[in-house]
């Protein structure tokens, strides 16, 4: 399949400040790509440039075979969804969704068909005649989603769309989005700082850092094989340690060949407690239901270890052996 | 950025006296494509009555359209505690009431203005209509929005919040999140542009009913500050000047965030000037040329009085 959206050496800035530096990126039709990264990494700026809301310093954006770098936002055929949906309170759900079509002077019969289809696809057909105030927050967010797909955009950009919802609704909307994307086959870019959302939704994740792509890959690749300490940290490896001359600070060599690696990382559940070549002091213990999470003070720094709750407990202050095994270690090639 | 000094301006207003003054200042320099009304200074019905009455007095032909009656979340707080119920305090002449009422559909009309190539929007009240616009049509967030609102320092409605920001903080947050690069003409810059009762003299010297009406309304406004004993800040006309008198208001790029939750700071506009800390997303006023703006406003009022 040919590329649907390509960014070529895209550089974006605000005045003298470069926010995104020579970004290259391509996505396929129907793909759901997550732009993931902390605040200030350039993900929202990139999205705005794709939407046409900021002019690139340099570079090129192509959508569906057409150079859109200089095309105004309202001629790009790109939809956007934000966390704030600001529905019109005096209009029905139907009319809120119909708003853009009526502005574009779409014939009334066609408006009806398209709005009904959009409401059906977000499961709100039965609420078409209600006013927004009669709807829950999640339902209002669905209306906003229907409003953005009813204009049949080529590409849908979602900027932290779920961050205003409570945890349960977030999960519900997440599956809703995934289903909608499968059914409509619409290409989506999902901007988030929430790694769990990105992992759950995306076909591909682009991790951004300081205006550049740090790592791109499938959720599995990103989750299991982060290339840098930055990605590892971001994706939940809570034990990330630098290597100096092949050694971890204050500890023996890891006991396996680390090649040219600059660091090693373990998830808390990969740390083995009770045996091993290293020693630490239990500084904290949290019972989390299925597991107990220990915080160890070690020569290496703090180490987090997670063990099944059924295992024998370790007292705070106890000195304990632990192992950072090769199995479960991720080799990092840069900070 | 090149500025088209003849391009039409769309004005979103909550129609107190300083809004009227701002609209007249714009009209002295640029065509106004339409007025969208928003509740703020007073209730929406009063905003509509004021706008229609002003249109009748000054012969405005642009469409006048009703927008949001309520902020995005929470109940409306008006400025009746300062401006009275009609948003235009004073003991003298008042705008003569008319039977005309604004048409509905402010946001659709503003969207149509932008779709047709219009670019400059001057917002003089809470940003509720603009928030509705960019939620329904996020592809129009590339507009140039000059807003009288917010503060890079102290507040007026509360210790931390300027009135227009405080009335609808969620709207400001939504407009920022949508990527609108707000040009915020803030409370501090507006307070650099003041007028006193003595400065009414040229308007008082003008013959005719319109001049007398404007002078009375202006006087009512100036008397807000200790019954005229202190200079009164001009507010909305300063934002109008930022748009139609290039160079009269200086702005610097800054990162603008909206406080919507703070226990003491809801409605506060948080301004980070240090680009290294946060990428700028707005232009925030730093200075306003008081003498120039005050004089331009007086010329505009005299011009409007003469018709």
């Amino acid at each position: 399949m040919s590329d649907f959206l390509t960014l070529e050496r895209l550089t974006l800035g605000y005045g003298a400040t470069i926010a995104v530096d020579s970004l290259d990126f391509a996505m396929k039709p129907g793909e759901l790509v997550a732009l993931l990264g902390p605040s200030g990494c350039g993900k929202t700026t990139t999205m705005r440039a794709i939407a046409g809301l900021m002019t690139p310093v340099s570079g090129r954006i192509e959508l569906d075979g057409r150079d859109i770098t200089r095309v105004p936002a309202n001629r790009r055929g790109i939809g956007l969804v934000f966390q704030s949906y600001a529905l019109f309170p005096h209009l029905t759900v139907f009319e809120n969704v119909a708003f853009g079509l009526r502005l574009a002077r779409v014939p009334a019969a066609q408006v009806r068909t398209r709005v009904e289809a959009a409401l059906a696809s977000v499961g709100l057909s039965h609420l078409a005649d209600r006013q927004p105030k009669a709807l829950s927050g999640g339902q209002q967010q669905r209306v906003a989603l229907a409003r953005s797909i009813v204009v049949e955009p080529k590409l849908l950009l979602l900027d932290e769309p779920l961050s205003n919802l409570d945890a349960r609704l977030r999960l519900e909307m997440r599956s809703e989005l995934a289903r909608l994307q499968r059914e409509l086959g619409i290409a989506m870019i999902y901007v988030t700082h929430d790694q769990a959302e990105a992992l759950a939704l995306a076909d591909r994740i682009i991790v951004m850092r300081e205006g550049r792509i740090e790592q791109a890959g499938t959720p599995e690749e990103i989750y299991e094989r982060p290339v840098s300490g930055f990605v590892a940290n971001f994706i939940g490896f809570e034990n990330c340690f630098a290597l100096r001359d092949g050694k971890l600070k204050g500890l023996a060599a890891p006991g396996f060949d680390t090649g040219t690696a600059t660091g090693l990382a373990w998830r808390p559940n990969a740390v083995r407690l009770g045996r091993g070549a290293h020693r630490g002091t239990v500084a904290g213990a949290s019972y989390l239901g299925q597991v107990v999470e220990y915080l160890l003070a070690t020569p290496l720094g703090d180490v987090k270890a997670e063990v099944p709750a059924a295992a024998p407990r370790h007292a705070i202050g106890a000195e304990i052996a632990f192992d950072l095994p090769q199995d479960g270690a991720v080799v990092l090639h840069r900070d | 950025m090149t500025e088209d000094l003849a391009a039409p301006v769309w004005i979103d207003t909550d129609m107190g006296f300083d809004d009227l003054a701002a609209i007249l200042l714009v009209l002295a320099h640029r065509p106004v494509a339409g007025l969208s009304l928003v509740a703020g200074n007073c209730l929406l019905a009063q905003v509509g009555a004021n706008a229609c009455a002003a249109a009748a007095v000054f012969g405005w032909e642009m469409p006048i359209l009703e927008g949001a009656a309520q902020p995005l979340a929470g109940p409306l707080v008006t400025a009746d505690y300062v401006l009275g119920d009609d948003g235009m305090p004073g003991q003298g002449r008042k705008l003569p009431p008319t039977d005309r009422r604004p048409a509905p559909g402010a946001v659709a009309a503003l969207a149509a203005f932008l779709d047709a190539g219009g670019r400059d929007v001057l917002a003089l009240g809470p940003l509720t209509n603009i928030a509705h616009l960019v939620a329904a049509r996020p592809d129009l967030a590339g507009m140039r929005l000059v807003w009288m609102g917010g503060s890079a320092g102290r507040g007026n409605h509360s210790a931390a919040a300027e009135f227009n920001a405080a009335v609808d903080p969620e709207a400001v947050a939504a407009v920022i999140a949508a990527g609108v690069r707000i040009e915020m003409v803030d409370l501090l810059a507006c307070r650099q542009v003041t007028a006193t009762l003595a400065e009414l003299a040229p308007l008082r010297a003008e013959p005719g009913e319109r001049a007398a009406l404007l002078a009375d309304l202006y006087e009512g406004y100036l008397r807000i500050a200790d019954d005229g004993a202190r200079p009164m800040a001009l507010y909305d006309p300063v934002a109008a000047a930022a748009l139609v008198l290039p160079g009269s208001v200086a702005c610097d790029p800054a990162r603008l965030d909206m406080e919507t939750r703070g226990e003491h700071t809801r409605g506060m506009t948080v301004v980070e000037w240090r680009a290294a800390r946060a990428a700028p997303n707005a232009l925030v006023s730093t200075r306003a040329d008081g003498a120039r703006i005050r004089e331009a406003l007086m010329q505009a009022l005299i011009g409007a009085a003469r018709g």
Side-chain angles (χ1 to χ4, degrees):
Chain A
M1 243 183 311
S2 65
D3 291 331
F4 180 67
L5 173 75
T6 51
L7 310 182
E8 276 174 35
R9 303 187 63 76
L10 189 68
T11 297
L12 306 168
Y14 303 93
T17 315
I18 292 297
V20 169
D21 193 3
S22 198
L23 196 76
D24 284 302
F25 161 76
M27 71 187 277
K28 307 281 179 210
E31 199 178 10
L32 199 166
V33 172
L35 290 184
L36 176 66
S39 157
C41 72
K43 59 189 191 298
T44 294
T45 306
T46 302
M47 191 210 68
R48 286 195 179 137
I50 297 170
L53 299 177
M54 77 182 292
T55 310
V57 174
S58 61
R60 194 178 134 89
I61 306 171
E62 199 172 285
L63 177 67
D64 200 13
R66 174 176 169 228
D67 182 347
I68 59 164
T69 318
R70 306 282 157 191
V71 174
N74 59 341
R75 308 254 187 278
R76 290 191 180 195
I78 293 176
L80 290 106
V81 179
F82 299 97
Q83 59 172 273
S84 161
Y85 32 81
L87 302 176
F88 294 108
H90 58 289
L91 297 183
T92 61
V93 164
F94 184 98
E95 285 303 326
N96 265 286
V97 177
F99 184 82
L101 299 180
R102 298 217 190 277
L103 266 179
R105 300 187 191 285
V106 173
Q110 212 183 336
V111 170
R112 175 150 296 279
T113 320
R114 283 170 66 176
V115 172
E116 282 172 354
L119 285 175
S121 67
V122 298
L124 286 184
S125 301
H126 60 298
L127 298 177
D129 297 327
R130 300 279 180 85
Q131 293 210 322
K133 64 174 180 290
L135 272 56
S136 70
Q139 287 169 332
Q140 293 191 36
Q141 182 65 275
R142 282 171 203 242
V143 176
L145 205 53
R147 179 169 63 183
S148 66
I149 59 175
V150 77
V151 293
E152 296 169 357
K154 291 178 177 176
L155 171 68
L156 194 57
L157 307 178
L158 302 108
D159 187 7
E160 309 266 6
L162 309 184
S163 50
N164 259 0
L165 305 177
D166 66 39
R168 208 179 123 250
L169 260 176
R170 257 205 312 275
L171 278 180
E172 190 185 310
M173 282 302 291
R174 201 200 276 172
S175 352
E176 176 77 18
L177 276 172
R179 183 189 61 73
L180 198 65
Q181 202 258 343
R182 275 196 311 275
E183 285 181 14
L184 300 176
I186 186 171
M188 290 188 189
I189 297 180
Y190 192 97
V191 174
T192 183
H193 67 278
D194 181 334
Q195 42 115 343
E197 260 177 26
L199 290 169
L201 271 173
D203 300 315
R204 200 150 51 99
I205 295 175
I206 313 276
V207 183
M208 293 189 67
R209 175 189 193 180
E210 292 171 8
R212 295 165 183 267
I213 294 177
E214 180 76 358
Q215 186 175 1
T218 64
E220 290 79 2
E221 285 165 354
I222 302 282
Y223 189 76
E224 290 160 20
R225 292 189 294 284
V227 296
S228 66
F230 176 85
V231 178
N233 254 315
F234 206 74
I235 213 79
F237 284 82
E238 292 180 71
N239 304 302
C240 292
F241 307 115
L243 281 168
R244 300 268 181 273
D245 305 322
K247 286 182 183 169
L248 295 166
K249 184 183 92 177
L251 295 185
F256 53 91
D257 183 18
T258 52
T260 58
T262 61
L264 292 169
W266 288 265
R267 292 184 189 278
N269 62 6
V271 178
R272 215 170 283 150
L273 269 198
R275 62 200 162 87
H278 316 309
R279 300 192 79 77
T281 307
V282 177
S286 310
Y287 171 66
L288 301 177
Q290 302 275 347
V291 296
V292 176
E293 188 180 80
Y294 290 98
L295 183 66
L296 305 182
T298 82
L300 182 59
D302 288 346
V303 172
K304 265 192 189 170
E306 220 176 70
V307 298
R313 301 290 175 87
H314 305 285
I316 306 277
E319 193 170 310
I320 187 173
F322 70 97
D323 192 19
L324 297 169
Q326 181 170 11
D327 179 24
V330 167
V331 177
L332 307 172
H333 292 284
R334 55 181 193 271
D335 291 343
Chain B
M1 201 174 290
T2 56
E3 296 193 45
D4 182 349
L5 296 180
V9 177
W10 186 279
I11 302 180
D12 188 77
T13 169
D14 57 350
M15 214 57 199
F17 170 76
D18 64 330
D19 298 70
L20 171 60
I23 293 166
L24 293 174
L25 177 55
V26 173
L27 280 167
H29 297 84
R30 304 263 293 266
V32 173
L35 299 182
S36 51
L37 308 180
V38 63
N41 278 338
C42 37
L43 298 173
L44 188 62
Q46 185 66 49
V47 173
N50 290 353
C52 291
V57 170
F58 297 102
W60 295 344
E61 288 173 357
M62 76 290 256
I64 300 176
L65 300 132
E66 201 168 69
Q70 295 281 334
L72 295 189
L76 174 67
V77 177
T78 70
D80 59 354
Y81 61 94
V82 180
L83 301 178
D85 288 340
D86 67 356
M88 298 202 187
Q91 303 304 313
R93 293 171 184 76
K94 293 276 184 181
L95 285 170
T98 62
D99 292 335
R100 179 180 170 192
R101 289 293 169 265
V107 177
L110 172 51
F113 165 73
L114 296 168
D115 265 334
R119 185 166 161 271
D120 293 346
V121 179
L122 175 64
L124 303 173
L127 290 182
T128 320
N129 286 338
I130 312 298
H132 281 303
L133 171 79
V134 293
R137 286 292 308 276
D139 57 318
L140 297 178
M143 75 184 102
R144 179 180 180 200
L145 179 70
V146 178
W147 176 45
M148 191 279 118
S151 173
R154 67 174 68 187
N156 58 355
H157 183 68
S158 72
E162 180 278 334
F163 178 78
N164 286 339
V167 172
D168 199 344
E170 281 72 19
V172 182
V175 171
I176 294 171
V180 178
R181 204 168 165 75
I182 299 176
E183 288 178 44
M184 185 172 105
V185 179
D186 83 321
L187 188 70
L188 305 185
C190 288
R191 285 184 168 169
Q192 296 173 15
V193 186
T194 59
T196 61
L197 293 173
E199 278 144 328
L200 286 171
L203 195 55
R204 288 271 179 227
E206 281 292 311
E209 186 54 27
R210 274 202 298 248
L213 169 67
L214 278 175
D216 281 0
L217 291 175
Y218 199 173
E219 179 172 340
Y221 178 79
L222 294 177
R223 285 190 184 280
I224 291 172
D226 288 343
D227 198 25
R230 285 187 297 118
M232 176 69 188
L234 293 183
Y235 299 109
D236 289 344
V238 183
L243 193 61
V244 301
L245 302 173
S248 64
V249 178
C251 290
D252 278 346
R255 168 76 187 198
L256 177 62
D257 286 297
M258 190 67 211
E259 181 57 79
T260 56
R261 296 201 179 102
E263 187 180 354
H264 304 291
T265 52
R266 184 174 146 77
M268 179 178 183
T269 45
V270 180
V271 177
E272 172 60 272
W273 298 103
R274 299 166 296 182
R277 296 290 180 93
N281 64 350
L283 289 168
V284 178
S285 53
T286 53
R287 243 173 333 99
D289 185 338
R292 184 175 167 206
I293 295 169
R294 188 167 51 240
E295 177 56 25
L297 176 63
M298 182 48 70
Q299 290 310 316
L301 295 181
I302 289 171
R306 289 174 183 171

